[in-house]
Amino acid sequence: VEGYEDGEFRPRNTITRQEIALILQRFARSEGVALPNRQVSRFNDEDSIANWAYDAVKELQRAGIINGDDYGNMNPLGNAKRAEAAKLLFELMRIMGLL
């Protein structure tokens, strides 16, 4: 976790879906984990994903960790709910062979 551009971490803030994607991607890379790379379609709101988070979101999508909602949206600026965060962590841990 590197924090924001201004050097702050803002631990009391909520976390967006694109922020958690970046954190999980960085964690996987730091552990030397090669994520699966399957073909996926575009999210309907893919243009809303920030440039700094785009590669992370797409990598986790190709790995089957992030799937979006029933309407094909990623909702990158939406706050991640506890259940969503737990699901993402579970899927990453499963891929890493920790479960």
Side-chain angles (χ1 to χ4, degrees):
V1 177
E2 295 179 7
Y4 290 86
E5 290 178 351
D6 61 7
E8 291 185 4
F9 282 88
R10 303 177 192 159
R12 296 192 193 317
N13 286 10
T14 55
I15 189 166
T16 66
R17 290 178 174 90
Q18 65 185 3
E19 289 171 333
I20 199 167
L22 184 62
I23 290 170
L24 293 177
Q25 180 201 45
R26 287 179 176 166
F27 175 70
R29 287 183 176 178
S30 74
E31 294 298 307
V33 175
L35 297 176
N37 188 10
R38 62 187 173 103
Q39 193 76 330
V40 294
S41 58
R42 286 179 48 90
F43 289 116
N44 293 330
D45 60 350
E46 198 160 293
D47 294 338
S48 299
I49 301 170
N51 290 337
W52 52 264
Y54 185 84
D55 290 339
V57 169
K58 294 306 288 186
E59 185 173 355
L60 269 62
Q61 182 191 22
R62 287 190 300 270
I65 296 172
I66 290 179
N67 300 311
D69 64 18
D70 293 337
Y71 305 102
N73 297 310
M74 189 328 188
N75 193 13
L77 298 176
N79 293 328
K81 296 180 178 101
R82 289 176 189 228
E84 293 168 333
K87 187 259 183 191
L88 297 177
L89 288 170
F90 175 85
E91 292 299 330
L92 179 59
M93 291 173 65
R94 184 184 56 74
I95 289 169
M96 294 175 71
L98 299 174
L99 294 176

